[in-house]
Structures are given as C-alpha cells and as structure tokens.
Amino acid sequence: RWNRNLVLQTFTDEDAARVLCLKPKIAQEDTYRWGFTEHGGYSTQSEEVRATSKWCKPSQGSIKCNVGSSWNKSGHPSGAAWILRDHNGSTIMHSRRAYFALRSKEEADLYSLLWAVESMRDLRKHHVSFESSSTEMRDILLNLQNFHHFHHLVSAITYNLQAIEGWSVHHANLECNSVAGAIATSVTTGRRYQSYVASNGPAWLHSLLSAEAIS
C-alpha cells in the first residue's frame, strides 16, 4: 500500500489523488514521470508509462529530440549531442559539439540541453519532446531553489523554449537515450571536437537507429 501521508506531503493535492488511485506494483520499477512543460515548470500532471528499457517513438504530429552529454573531469573538453526523430522513428538530423572548461557534470548536462533547445529554436521546430537521461539535471529542474548557481542556465533554457510551440522536457532511462549518449561520448573518447549539424543519423549508429525505428 502507499504511505498515504508521505504521498500527500510529496505531491500536489491533484497528483496525490492520482497516485493514491494507482495500484502499487512492488516487483516493477517505478515508471511514472513528470514533464517540464511550456508553462515554465514541471507539470503537476502525471504521466503513466509502461516500464521500458528502449527508446519510444513520439506521438504523431510531434518530434523527439534526445539530448546526450559527456563530461570529462580531467579538464579536457566535454561532449554534447542531440538527435531528432519523428513519429515513425526516422532520424531527421543529429548534431554534436564540444564544450570547454566546464566544471561539473551538472553544468555539462545543462549546457547540452540549452544547446539542443537553441538548435530547435533556430531550426524553427515545434511540438518537440526533449528527452534526457541525466538524473542530475532532473533534480536541478525539480528543485532549482537548491541550485542557485545554475539559475542562469535554467533561465536561458526556459527563455529559449518560449520560441518553441508545444514543447516538453522529460527524463528517460539511460537505455532509452543510448544514441544521443553515444554521440556525446564520441567527443570525449575520440577527441572529436568539431561541431556539426547533419541530416539523418551517424552511419556508425545505423544498426541501433534502425532497430529502434522498428521497435
């Protein structure tokens, strides 16, 4: 059973009522998520999703932008990447770049999201669902009052999101974000520091992209 008092303390009244109506599944990993919406904050509307360890296609009429980040604590450049796919699972385009002198993984993750949002704005894309597997960034967006030193980055992200009609930001399992993560990691492991934006997906990830497109 749910710890009713804890649920009521943790969630808004509306969400608490929704949670308490759900039957707990002890043997199943938690699969409820809250999305950062175009209203400028995390939504109070819960979305129940099936437990999954694979990438899921966006709904028809929308596109999904997976965001990857790879921070290098040794002081070398960090990597950032995004990949954009449609409701058929087809890759529209992808991009990669390096960031220099970033001080933490949190900073690298936020800059990666900021760059993806700026790119979607510049490309005039709308109805975009951004997805990241960074738990650190999720915690910052949910509890910004505890991370004042990142306020300028979050403000820049929300400001640029205003130019995108029908957007949302979600946290996903690491397995669901493997392509974007692999592209970002190629910056730090392969020292590929040149930035680019290209149509379709990278050839070396063709098999994985094809498998996710038909799943």
Side-chain angles (χ1 to χ4, degrees):
R1 293 182 299 176
W2 293 107
N3 182 330
R4 183 181 179 84
N5 289 334
L6 183 59
V7 170
L8 291 172
Q9 292 172 13
T10 305
F11 301 102
T12 64
D13 292 342
E14 182 180 4
D15 265 351
R18 290 171 179 263
V19 171
L20 292 171
C21 288
L22 297 171
K23 182 179 179 180
K25 299 177 182 179
I26 304 301
Q28 180 177 321
E29 181 183 357
D30 289 343
T31 57
Y32 304 102
R33 66 186 184 187
W34 285 259
F36 193 60
T37 70
E38 59 188 292
H39 301 297
Y42 262 81
S43 172
T44 60
Q45 301 299 316
S46 305
E47 177 183 0
E48 182 176 1
V49 294
R50 283 189 307 170
T52 179
S53 59
K54 61 183 180 180
W55 181 82
C56 294
K57 300 173 186 177
S59 59
Q60 188 167 2
S62 63
I63 51 181
K64 179 176 285 188
C65 181
N66 285 87
V67 182
S69 174
S70 178
W71 179 60
N72 195 326
K73 63 181 179 181
S74 65
H76 294 292
S78 298
W82 56 259
I83 184 165
L84 188 65
R85 286 176 276 186
D86 64 19
H87 68 278
N88 292 315
S90 301
T91 304
I92 301 171
M93 60 181 62
H94 76 284
S95 189
R96 179 182 68 198
R97 67 161 295 172
Y99 278 104
F100 295 81
L102 298 186
R103 295 165 291 184
S104 66
K105 183 181 185 301
E106 292 83 353
E107 190 175 26
D109 292 342
L110 287 169
Y111 268 110
S112 296
L113 178 59
L114 174 59
W115 179 53
V117 170
E118 289 176 336
S119 298
M120 295 304 105
R121 177 206 63 192
D122 294 343
L123 291 167
R124 298 184 180 180
K125 300 295 184 181
H126 298 288
H127 304 289
V128 184
S129 173
F130 296 91
E131 202 165 78
S132 167
S133 55
S134 168
T135 55
E136 293 84 358
M137 185 166 65
R138 179 197 62 190
D139 293 341
I140 292 170
L141 294 177
L142 280 170
N143 304 286
L144 184 57
Q145 68 277 9
N146 298 329
F147 299 93
H148 297 292
H149 47 299
F150 293 127
H151 189 272
H152 67 292
L153 281 173
V154 176
S155 295
I157 291 169
T158 55
Y159 174 79
N160 284 282
L161 281 169
Q162 293 175 20
I164 302 172
E165 180 182 345
W167 60 266
S168 62
V169 179
H170 300 278
H171 177 263
N173 292 332
L174 188 63
E175 295 84 355
C176 304
N177 203 45
S178 57
V179 173
I183 300 172
T185 301
S186 70
V187 176
T188 52
T189 59
R191 297 187 178 183
R192 299 170 179 173
Y193 301 146
Q194 185 172 356
S195 300
Y196 71 86
V197 177
S199 299
N200 304 315
W204 55 281
L205 289 173
H206 175 74
S207 296
L208 178 56
L209 288 166
S210 297
E212 290 186 340
I214 63 175
S215 61

mmCIF file of all heavy atoms in Angstrom, residues 11-31:
data_model
loop_
_atom_site.group_PDB
_atom_site.id
_atom_site.type_symbol
_atom_site.label_atom_id
_atom_site.label_comp_id
_atom_site.label_asym_id
_atom_site.label_seq_id
_atom_site.Cartn_x
_atom_site.Cartn_y
_atom_site.Cartn_z
ATOM 1 N N PHE A 11 3.407 15.342 -3.043
ATOM 2 C CA PHE A 11 2.784 15.792 -4.275
ATOM 3 C C PHE A 11 1.708 16.839 -4.019
ATOM 4 O O PHE A 11 1.235 17.008 -2.896
ATOM 5 C CB PHE A 11 2.152 14.600 -5.018
ATOM 6 C CG PHE A 11 3.136 13.519 -5.376
ATOM 7 C CD1 PHE A 11 3.214 12.354 -4.630
ATOM 8 C CD2 PHE A 11 3.990 13.663 -6.450
ATOM 9 C CE1 PHE A 11 4.114 11.350 -4.951
ATOM 10 C CE2 PHE A 11 4.896 12.673 -6.784
ATOM 11 C CZ PHE A 11 4.960 11.513 -6.029
ATOM 12 N N THR A 12 1.321 17.516 -5.092
ATOM 13 C CA THR A 12 0.187 18.425 -5.002
ATOM 14 C C THR A 12 -1.068 17.604 -4.730
ATOM 15 O O THR A 12 -1.085 16.382 -4.941
ATOM 16 C CB THR A 12 -0.002 19.199 -6.313
ATOM 17 O OG1 THR A 12 -0.317 18.265 -7.358
ATOM 18 C CG2 THR A 12 1.250 19.980 -6.690
ATOM 19 N N ASP A 13 -2.125 18.249 -4.277
ATOM 20 C CA ASP A 13 -3.360 17.525 -3.967
ATOM 21 C C ASP A 13 -3.865 16.754 -5.178
ATOM 22 O O ASP A 13 -4.326 15.611 -5.064
ATOM 23 C CB ASP A 13 -4.439 18.502 -3.481
ATOM 24 C CG ASP A 13 -4.110 19.101 -2.126
ATOM 25 O OD1 ASP A 13 -3.252 18.525 -1.424
ATOM 26 O OD2 ASP A 13 -4.708 20.135 -1.770
ATOM 27 N N GLU A 14 -3.775 17.391 -6.346
ATOM 28 C CA GLU A 14 -4.267 16.764 -7.572
ATOM 29 C C GLU A 14 -3.467 15.511 -7.908
ATOM 30 O O GLU A 14 -4.021 14.457 -8.213
ATOM 31 C CB GLU A 14 -4.188 17.764 -8.725
ATOM 32 C CG GLU A 14 -4.729 17.222 -10.043
ATOM 33 C CD GLU A 14 -4.633 18.244 -11.162
ATOM 34 O OE1 GLU A 14 -4.079 19.337 -10.919
ATOM 35 O OE2 GLU A 14 -5.099 17.940 -12.264
ATOM 36 N N ASP A 15 -2.139 15.633 -7.831
ATOM 37 C CA ASP A 15 -1.306 14.475 -8.140
ATOM 38 C C ASP A 15 -1.405 13.399 -7.067
ATOM 39 O O ASP A 15 -1.355 12.197 -7.365
ATOM 40 C CB ASP A 15 0.149 14.902 -8.307
ATOM 41 C CG ASP A 15 0.500 15.162 -9.766
ATOM 42 O OD1 ASP A 15 -0.340 14.845 -10.635
ATOM 43 O OD2 ASP A 15 1.589 15.671 -10.027
ATOM 44 N N ALA A 16 -1.517 13.824 -5.815
ATOM 45 C CA ALA A 16 -1.640 12.849 -4.721
ATOM 46 C C ALA A 16 -2.865 11.971 -4.930
ATOM 47 O O ALA A 16 -2.822 10.749 -4.724
ATOM 48 C CB ALA A 16 -1.716 13.569 -3.386
ATOM 49 N N ALA A 17 -3.955 12.573 -5.347
ATOM 50 C CA ALA A 17 -5.175 11.800 -5.603
ATOM 51 C C ALA A 17 -4.953 10.794 -6.723
ATOM 52 O O ALA A 17 -5.425 9.654 -6.656
ATOM 53 C CB ALA A 17 -6.322 12.749 -5.948
ATOM 54 N N ARG A 18 -4.218 11.207 -7.750
ATOM 55 C CA ARG A 18 -3.927 10.299 -8.860
ATOM 56 C C ARG A 18 -3.051 9.140 -8.397
ATOM 57 O O ARG A 18 -3.301 7.978 -8.747
ATOM 58 C CB ARG A 18 -3.207 11.057 -9.985
ATOM 59 C CG ARG A 18 -4.064 12.063 -10.738
ATOM 60 C CD ARG A 18 -3.202 12.896 -11.665
ATOM 61 N NE ARG A 18 -4.007 13.850 -12.417
ATOM 62 C CZ ARG A 18 -4.448 13.636 -13.650
ATOM 63 N NH1 ARG A 18 -4.169 12.511 -14.260
ATOM 64 N NH2 ARG A 18 -5.171 14.546 -14.279
ATOM 65 N N VAL A 19 -2.026 9.447 -7.620
ATOM 66 C CA VAL A 19 -1.110 8.411 -7.156
ATOM 67 C C VAL A 19 -1.833 7.395 -6.279
ATOM 68 O O VAL A 19 -1.663 6.184 -6.418
ATOM 69 C CB VAL A 19 0.073 9.046 -6.390
ATOM 70 C CG1 VAL A 19 0.906 7.973 -5.708
ATOM 71 C CG2 VAL A 19 0.938 9.869 -7.333
ATOM 72 N N LEU A 20 -2.657 7.886 -5.367
ATOM 73 C CA LEU A 20 -3.342 7.000 -4.432
ATOM 74 C C LEU A 20 -4.355 6.095 -5.125
ATOM 75 O O LEU A 20 -4.754 5.069 -4.572
ATOM 76 C CB LEU A 20 -4.019 7.821 -3.335
ATOM 77 C CG LEU A 20 -3.061 8.542 -2.382
ATOM 78 C CD1 LEU A 20 -3.819 9.493 -1.468
ATOM 79 C CD2 LEU A 20 -2.257 7.537 -1.559
ATOM 80 N N CYS A 21 -4.767 6.469 -6.331
ATOM 81 C CA CYS A 21 -5.691 5.631 -7.098
ATOM 82 C C CYS A 21 -4.982 4.520 -7.858
ATOM 83 O O CYS A 21 -5.618 3.593 -8.363
ATOM 84 C CB CYS A 21 -6.499 6.482 -8.081
ATOM 85 S SG CYS A 21 -7.745 7.523 -7.301
ATOM 86 N N LEU A 22 -3.664 4.625 -7.961
ATOM 87 C CA LEU A 22 -2.883 3.620 -8.673
ATOM 88 C C LEU A 22 -2.560 2.450 -7.746
ATOM 89 O O LEU A 22 -2.268 2.636 -6.572
ATOM 90 C CB LEU A 22 -1.575 4.231 -9.184
ATOM 91 C CG LEU A 22 -1.700 5.372 -10.205
ATOM 92 C CD1 LEU A 22 -0.332 6.005 -10.433
ATOM 93 C CD2 LEU A 22 -2.264 4.843 -11.503
ATOM 94 N N LYS A 23 -2.615 1.264 -8.301
ATOM 95 C CA LYS A 23 -2.278 0.072 -7.519
ATOM 96 C C LYS A 23 -0.770 -0.117 -7.527
ATOM 97 O O LYS A 23 -0.164 -0.256 -8.591
ATOM 98 C CB LYS A 23 -2.960 -1.160 -8.113
ATOM 99 C CG LYS A 23 -2.703 -2.431 -7.317
ATOM 100 C CD LYS A 23 -3.420 -3.621 -7.943
ATOM 101 C CE LYS A 23 -3.144 -4.894 -7.141
ATOM 102 N NZ LYS A 23 -3.844 -6.062 -7.743
ATOM 103 N N PRO A 24 -0.124 -0.111 -6.368
ATOM 104 C CA PRO A 24 1.331 -0.284 -6.337
ATOM 105 C C PRO A 24 1.740 -1.646 -6.883
ATOM 106 O O PRO A 24 1.085 -2.651 -6.638
ATOM 107 C CB PRO A 24 1.668 -0.174 -4.834
ATOM 108 C CG PRO A 24 0.509 0.534 -4.234
ATOM 109 C CD PRO A 24 -0.686 0.102 -5.024
ATOM 110 N N LYS A 25 2.822 -1.643 -7.656
ATOM 111 C CA LYS A 25 3.371 -2.886 -8.196
ATOM 112 C C LYS A 25 4.776 -3.050 -7.620
ATOM 113 O O LYS A 25 5.732 -2.479 -8.124
ATOM 114 C CB LYS A 25 3.395 -2.839 -9.722
ATOM 115 C CG LYS A 25 2.001 -2.671 -10.334
ATOM 116 C CD LYS A 25 2.085 -2.552 -11.848
ATOM 117 C CE LYS A 25 0.696 -2.331 -12.449
ATOM 118 N NZ LYS A 25 0.757 -2.178 -13.923
ATOM 119 N N ILE A 26 4.862 -3.817 -6.566
ATOM 120 C CA ILE A 26 6.107 -3.914 -5.798
ATOM 121 C C ILE A 26 7.258 -4.457 -6.643
ATOM 122 O O ILE A 26 8.403 -4.028 -6.504
ATOM 123 C CB ILE A 26 5.894 -4.812 -4.559
ATOM 124 C CG1 ILE A 26 4.732 -4.274 -3.713
ATOM 125 C CG2 ILE A 26 7.176 -4.884 -3.730
ATOM 126 C CD1 ILE A 26 4.930 -2.854 -3.233
ATOM 127 N N ALA A 27 6.963 -5.395 -7.534
ATOM 128 C CA ALA A 27 8.019 -6.043 -8.303
ATOM 129 C C ALA A 27 8.412 -5.261 -9.546
ATOM 130 O O ALA A 27 9.321 -5.642 -10.267
ATOM 131 C CB ALA A 27 7.573 -7.449 -8.715
ATOM 132 N N GLN A 28 7.752 -4.152 -9.815
ATOM 133 C CA GLN A 28 8.014 -3.380 -11.032
ATOM 134 C C GLN A 28 8.694 -2.067 -10.698
ATOM 135 O O GLN A 28 8.353 -1.403 -9.728
ATOM 136 C CB GLN A 28 6.694 -3.108 -11.756
ATOM 137 C CG GLN A 28 6.853 -2.318 -13.045
ATOM 138 C CD GLN A 28 5.522 -2.149 -13.767
ATOM 139 O OE1 GLN A 28 4.716 -3.063 -13.799
ATOM 140 N NE2 GLN A 28 5.298 -0.974 -14.319
ATOM 141 N N GLU A 29 9.678 -1.714 -11.519
ATOM 142 C CA GLU A 29 10.384 -0.446 -11.322
ATOM 143 C C GLU A 29 9.416 0.715 -11.512
ATOM 144 O O GLU A 29 8.513 0.664 -12.341
ATOM 145 C CB GLU A 29 11.519 -0.332 -12.336
ATOM 146 C CG GLU A 29 12.350 0.938 -12.205
ATOM 147 C CD GLU A 29 13.420 1.018 -13.279
ATOM 148 O OE1 GLU A 29 13.531 0.069 -14.070
ATOM 149 O OE2 GLU A 29 14.127 2.042 -13.309
ATOM 150 N N ASP A 30 9.584 1.779 -10.737
ATOM 151 C CA ASP A 30 8.726 2.955 -10.873
ATOM 152 C C ASP A 30 8.831 3.504 -12.289
ATOM 153 O O ASP A 30 9.926 3.701 -12.808
ATOM 154 C CB ASP A 30 9.145 4.056 -9.887
ATOM 155 C CG ASP A 30 8.789 3.684 -8.455
ATOM 156 O OD1 ASP A 30 7.962 2.782 -8.277
ATOM 157 O OD2 ASP A 30 9.342 4.314 -7.543
ATOM 158 N N THR A 31 7.688 3.778 -12.898
ATOM 159 C CA THR A 31 7.688 4.241 -14.285
ATOM 160 C C THR A 31 6.741 5.413 -14.471
ATOM 161 O O THR A 31 6.045 5.526 -15.463
ATOM 162 C CB THR A 31 7.266 3.109 -15.243
ATOM 163 O OG1 THR A 31 5.975 2.625 -14.842
ATOM 164 C CG2 THR A 31 8.255 1.977 -15.222
#
